[in-house]
Each structure stands twice: as structure tokens, then as C-alpha cells.
């Protein structure tokens, strides 16, 4: 049956057992497919009933990798949780999804969630897998609302990897840098791409330039911030093995787009989301590329537009959200309403921004991403995030968190905004660049942060004025 496949690690252990599966460290340590297969086979999850979810809370990527494939073989749904989450955040996610078992440090104690030991004997491991079986549970980033627990089948990951191959080839001699966390769909997707093809992955550090020096990396998945930092060290890129870079997770400013288009490797911008098992559409960046980018929809993905909103279907569409231990299945026939706005022609997709990010200023619809795209064309801006804040005159106005390239140039930005933007789009408030957890900014939290900062500024100004009058 075409629906049944062998665990890719076991398959490659049989056909090319000595080939490197994982590069572990800069000092040359590695694991062959045969040794990785043995590590996965040695893990017992007999305390967890088949079909249940196991939350894995760990900061070691090798542990996460081996646990993911041990879960897969033993019919358990693998759910990686960010180890930097507080006890309250971990509890909230487990309660929300109805998770009853977890593997993690002894310092964690979760209510109604049983800790497990992986060293008990079992005979249940199975290397024959079905594409229909539930495989992973990945929480969305929550960048525009509360994080949701998205459940994927093995088939979702399989077809996601297969479609990616059509645009970005990856073979047994190649190595993909694990530069994204495994509690993010992008990290999981690149592992499946590499292992289905029989290539290798390299366990990344925060020093990507050093990773490229010490590992034989041919492929890398990066967010724009990582790319920007990498390109600040051009000497690290000479004579390296890196051939393909896949960039996603945030908008590219025009300067970064040009640098990538003229770089020493092929660069692809990507549109994707957790609910579609990562990549939906990608485009190779060339010197002629310009915003808005026209992404090529990959095989096994279907994209439709309904009232301006992107609707997604196909073999990569997730199974549904898990709530209180039950799967709320997505209607595969109707598809998934992404809340992204866009247009499509001949499988070329333009993405304009989030439907739920739009706000009204003085009766006009304002799309934050359009403002960000315009301001990122300015040479002195490295990053910008637009959020709406209440305004007594216009209802809502734009506030801009700005990451300046060198020096702060507020007056210049206000002047240039008049040339680039309509009056209702121009940022009324400029705020310092924030910090956040995860790969993408949480706009909901940043909106509250902007409001709090502006209230503080008003109160300080009033206090200063009162002091002067006295």
C-alpha cells in the first residue's frame, strides 16, 4: 500500500548505515543513521497509551529528535513545548490541548499531567508507518492571538517535504542546518525534509556563521533577523558549502532582499504556516525581485481566494486543532481560512497581510503590513512593526516600533512618511524596538506594550509640567 512507509531513519540505517544522519558539534562529532536508529529504538514510551499526546519539554535538540521518531514508531503524538516557558505557560498549553503525559526535567510539576520515564522495556516499536497516522502536535506562534494546538499527520509532513523538493532539491550528500527550534513547525519540517531524502542535519547554535564554518551545511532555513546578522559577516561566507537559504517568518526589507538576490547562494522567500505543515509557497530571489513578491505555490498545496482571504487545502493541510483531548477536525473539503489577505493567478501568490491585523483610522482601512513594507524601503530602517492604538480623534492610529540601522532619525522618518504613505497610514507614535520570545512578534502583546508606554510618557509629561508650574 502506498499509504504505508518505513520509518526513514530505519530505512536509511539499512541502506546506508554508515552515512552521517546528524552532525552533533563543531568538533566533528556525528551520528550515523545506524547509530541514530539504535538510539531511537532504545527509547521506551510504554507508559503512554497509543494515540495519546506526549509533551516533550527539553532544550537538547538531539533528545527532541530521537523522541519525535520514537513517538512516531510507537503510535504516540509528539508535542514539543518551549523549555523557556514558565510553569504556568506549560500548564496552560497542556490543559488547553488535554495533554496527559509529559517528558521533561524533574523541576517541572504539572497538574493532571503524568511525568514519564523512558527506560522501561517495550516491544511496541514499529518501523512500518501509515501516512494517515497522527504524528505531531505543534502550537502556533500566537502572533495574532492565542496559540492553538495544531495536529498533523505523518502524511502532512511527507507531502510538505516532497513539495519542497520540487523547488529546493535536497539529496543524500546534502546537509540542512537545524537553525530553527523543534517546537516550531519550521524546525520539524526541515528535519523531515532531510531524513526523508537520506541527507543529514547539523545541530545549529546561535552563531550561524560559525556553524557554516564547522559543518558541511548546504541548506539553511532562517528568519530575516538571522539572515541580516549572517550577511554582516561576508568573510564567513566565502568558499563555504552553503547553496540554498530558505527565508520566512517576517517581511524582508528591500535592502535585505537585494543582498540575498546577489548573495553567494540561492535564496528563497517563503510563505507558510503551522496549519499547512510549514511551506505553502516560495519564490527564488533574483535582482529583479520586488515587493510584493509573487510566490510559487508548491505541489500538494491548493490555494483559493475568498473575499480577499487566502483559503488553503491539499495534502499538507493539518488534521485540526486539539482541544481538551479531542481533535476538532478541519473540513478538508472547505479548506482552512488563513486570515491572510492575498491574490493568486496561475499558481503565483501575492500575500498582503493579516486580515485580523487590519484596523480603521478615521474611517479608512489600514493594513499594518503595507505600512511596514513601505517604511522598510527607507535606508535607515532595519525593522518596523506597526500596531494600532486608541486615539480620541481618529478612533485608532498607527504606532511604529522601529529598529534603526545606525542612528535614530525620527524627524526624517516623519518627513519621508509623507511621501510614502497616506495621512491615515502615517505612524503617529514612534517607539523603541521591542524584545520578544519566539521567531515572530506577538502583535497583540506589542499593542498592549505600546499603549502602556504611551500612557507612561503622557503621565511623565504631565508630571514634568506640574513640577514646572510649581
Amino acid at each position: 500500500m502506498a499509504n504505508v512507509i518505513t520509518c526513514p531513519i530505519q530505512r536509511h540505517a539499512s541502506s546506508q548505515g554508515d552515512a552521517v544522519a546528524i552532525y552533533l558539534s563543531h568538533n566533528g562529532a556525528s551520528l550515523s543513521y545506524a547509530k541514530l536508529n539504535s538510539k531511537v529504538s532504545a527509547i521506551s514510551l510504554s507508559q503512554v497509551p497509543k494515540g495519546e499526546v506526549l509533551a516533550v519539554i527539553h532544550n537538547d535538540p538531539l533528545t527532541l529528535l530521537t523522541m519525535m521518531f520514537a513517538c512516531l514508531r510507537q503510535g504516540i503524538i509528539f508535542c514539543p513545548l518551549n523549555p523557556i516557558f514558565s510553569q504556568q505557560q506549560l500548564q496552560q498549553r497542556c490543559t488547553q490541548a488535554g495533554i496527559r503525559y509529559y517528558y521533561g526535567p524533574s523541576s517541572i510539576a504539572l497538574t493532571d499531567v503524568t511525568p514519564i520515564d523512558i527506560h522501561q522495556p517495550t516491544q511496541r516499536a514499529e518501523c512500518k508507518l501509515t501516512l494517515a497516522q497522527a504524528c505531531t502536535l505543534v502550537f502556533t506562534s500566537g502572533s495574532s492571538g492565542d496559540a492553538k494546538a495544531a495536529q498533523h499527520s505523518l502524511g502532512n509532513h511527507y507531502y510538505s517535504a516532497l513539495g519542497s523538493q520540487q523547488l529546493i532539491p535536497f539529496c543524500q550528500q546534502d546537509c540542512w542546518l537545524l537553525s530553527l527550534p523543534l517546537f516550531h513547525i519550521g524546525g520539524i519540517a526541515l528535519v523531515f525534509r532531510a531524513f526523508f531524502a537520506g541527507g543529514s542535519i547539523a545541530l545549529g547554535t546561535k552563531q550561524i556563521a560559525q556553524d557554516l564554518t564547522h559543518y558541511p551545511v548546504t541548506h539553511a532555513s532562517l528568519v530575516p533577523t538571522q539572515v541580516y546578522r549572517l550577511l554582516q559577516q561576508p568573510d564567513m561566507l566565502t568558499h563555504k558549502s552553503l547553496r540554498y537559504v530558505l527565508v520566512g517568518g517576517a517581511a524582508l526589507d528591500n535592502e535585505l532582499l537585494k543582498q540575498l538576490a546577489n548573495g553567494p547562494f540561492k535564496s528563497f522567500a517563503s510563505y507558510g504556516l503551522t496549519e499547512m505543515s510549514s511551506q505553502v509557497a516560495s519564490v527564488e530571489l533574483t535582482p529583479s525581485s520586488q515587493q510584493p513578491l509573487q510566490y510559487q505555490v508548491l505541489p500538494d498545496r491548493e490555494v483559493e481566494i475568498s473575499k480577499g482571504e487566502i483559503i488553503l487545502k491539499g495534502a499538507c493541510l493539518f488534521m485540526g486543532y486539539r482541544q481538551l483531548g479531542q481533535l476538532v477536525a478541519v473540513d478538508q473539503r472547505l479548506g482552512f481560512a488563513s486570515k491572510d489577505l492575498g491574490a493568486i493567478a496561475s499558481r503565483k501568490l501575492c500575500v498582503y497581510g493579516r486580515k485580523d491585523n487590519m484596523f480603521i483610522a478615521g474611517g479608512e482601512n489600514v493594513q499594518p503590513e503595507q505600512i511596514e513594507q513601505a517604511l522598510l524601503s527607507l535606508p535607515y530602517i532595519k525593522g518596523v512593526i506597526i500596531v494600532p492604538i486608541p486615539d480620541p480623534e481618529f478612533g485608532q492610529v498607527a504606532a511604529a516600533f522601529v529598529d534603526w540601522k545606525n542612528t535614530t532619525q525620527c524627524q526624517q522618518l516623519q518627513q519621508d512618511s509623507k511621501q510614502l504613505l497616506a495621512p491615515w497610514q502615517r505612524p503617529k507614535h514612534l517607539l523603541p524596538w521591542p524584545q520578544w520570545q519566539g521567531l515572530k512578534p506577538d502583535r497583540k502583546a506589542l499593542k498592549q506594550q505600546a499603549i502602556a508606554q504611551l500612557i507612561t510618557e503622557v503621565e511623565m509629561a504631565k508630571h514634568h509640567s506640574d513640577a514646572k508650574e510649581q
Side-chain angles (χ1 to χ4, degrees), residues 8 25 61 89 120 168 184 209 230 249 258 271 318 366 439 458 470:
S25 66
Q89 289 172 310
Q120 297 184 10
I168 306 172
H184 185 277
L230 181 63
K258 284 180 187 174
Y271 164 68
F318 76 136
V366 179
L439 298 180
V458 169
Q470 293 174 3

Side-chain angles (χ1 to χ4, degrees), residues 42-47 54 63 67 103 116-121:
I43 294 173
S44 167
L45 303 174
S46 57
Q47 290 171 275
L54 175 64
T63 298
M67 288 293 284
Y103 175 74
I116 70 152
D117 181 336
I118 64 172
H119 300 298
Q120 297 184 10

Side-chain angles (χ1 to χ4, degrees), residues 251-254 257 289-293 295 351 373 376:
L252 292 168
D253 67 66
N254 285 350
L257 194 153
S289 296
Q290 57 184 3
Q291 302 283 8
L293 294 169
Y295 299 96
V351 182
Q373 198 173 94
L376 284 170

Side-chain angles (χ1 to χ4, degrees), residues 397-465:
V397 294
F401 290 96
V402 183
D403 191 6
W404 307 95
K405 278 200 176 151
N406 295 307
T407 58
T408 302
Q409 300 188 47
C410 294
Q411 288 187 335
Q412 186 65 49
L413 175 55
Q414 297 289 16
Q415 184 177 330
D416 290 338
S417 293
K418 294 177 182 177
Q419 306 299 318
L420 294 170
L421 301 166
W424 56 87
Q425 293 177 308
R426 296 171 198 159
K428 190 171 181 181
H429 305 280
L430 302 180
L431 301 166
W433 191 245
Q435 298 296 317
W436 61 82
Q437 292 181 0
L439 298 180
K440 293 192 287 186
D442 181 341
R443 289 180 184 267
K444 187 177 177 182
L446 289 177
K447 176 182 175 180
Q448 297 307 315
Q449 183 178 325
I451 293 170
Q453 284 182 232
L454 292 169
I455 289 173
T456 302
E457 288 178 14
V458 169
E459 289 176 347
M460 289 179 65
K462 185 176 183 300
H463 177 75
H464 183 68
S465 176

Side-chain angles (χ1 to χ4, degrees), residues 150-420:
Q151 183 171 306
H152 303 91
S153 68
L154 177 58
N156 291 153
H157 296 302
Y158 177 80
Y159 287 108
S160 178
L162 207 62
S164 179
Q165 277 274 21
Q166 302 303 307
L167 199 63
I168 306 172
F170 184 90
C171 66
Q172 290 183 352
Q173 290 73 40
D174 292 333
C175 175
W176 210 303
L177 178 65
L178 184 58
S179 49
L180 300 175
L182 282 168
F183 49 80
H184 185 277
I185 192 63
I188 289 176
L190 75 86
V191 168
F192 277 112
R193 285 183 212 126
F195 284 168
F196 276 131
S200 59
I201 65 167
L203 302 188
T205 68
K206 292 183 179 180
Q207 305 300 320
I208 292 175
Q210 291 185 26
D211 291 339
L212 297 179
T213 299
H214 295 287
Y215 292 137
V217 173
T218 57
H219 295 61
S221 297
L222 306 173
V223 297
T225 301
Q226 292 173 313
V227 175
Y228 178 83
R229 290 172 182 164
L230 181 63
L231 293 174
Q232 301 312 298
Q233 307 175 66
D235 55 310
M236 299 297 291
L237 297 174
T238 56
H239 308 299
K240 298 295 181 290
S241 55
L242 185 64
R243 301 199 315 275
Y244 297 95
V245 170
L246 183 62
V247 187
L252 292 168
D253 67 66
N254 285 350
E255 184 179 331
L256 188 55
L257 194 153
K258 284 180 187 174
Q259 285 181 293
L260 286 168
N262 293 290
F265 40 74
K266 286 188 176 184
S267 296
F268 294 81
S270 181
Y271 164 68
L273 56 161
T274 304
E275 290 85 352
M276 280 295 283
S277 317
S278 188
Q279 269 177 295
V280 173
S282 297
V283 59
E284 183 176 354
L285 301 177
T286 67
S288 61
S289 296
Q290 57 184 3
Q291 302 283 8
L293 294 169
Q294 291 190 315
Y295 299 96
Q296 177 183 329
V297 178
L298 299 175
D300 302 307
R301 288 87 161 153
E302 296 175 32
V303 178
E304 299 172 2
I305 305 295
S306 175
K307 297 179 181 177
E309 183 176 6
I310 297 172
I311 309 297
L312 299 163
K313 301 177 182 179
C316 300
L317 181 60
F318 76 136
M319 300 174 76
Y321 295 118
R322 198 171 184 93
Q323 297 175 9
L324 301 177
Q326 299 296 318
L327 177 67
V328 181
V330 67
D331 189 321
Q332 299 285 330
R333 183 180 56 84
L334 294 177
F336 176 72
S338 67
K339 296 185 181 177
D340 290 321
L341 299 172
I344 189 167
S346 302
R347 291 186 70 81
K348 294 293 176 68
L349 175 68
C350 288
V351 182
Y352 300 136
R354 293 285 295 176
K355 181 179 177 181
D356 48 8
N357 285 345
M358 185 182 289
F359 63 94
I360 297 174
E364 300 285 351
N365 288 340
V366 179
Q367 191 69 43
E369 290 90 344
Q370 290 182 350
I371 304 174
E372 292 163 3
Q373 198 173 94
L375 297 183
L376 284 170
S377 68
L378 298 172
Y380 48 85
I381 289 183
K382 185 165 64 175
V384 61
I385 301 169
I386 299 293
V387 295
I389 61 169
D391 183 84
E393 182 178 0
F394 299 103
Q396 295 182 99
V397 294
F401 290 96
V402 183
D403 191 6
W404 307 95
K405 278 200 176 151
N406 295 307
T407 58
T408 302
Q409 300 188 47
C410 294
Q411 288 187 335
Q412 186 65 49
L413 175 55
Q414 297 289 16
Q415 184 177 330
D416 290 338
S417 293
K418 294 177 182 177
Q419 306 299 318
L420 294 170

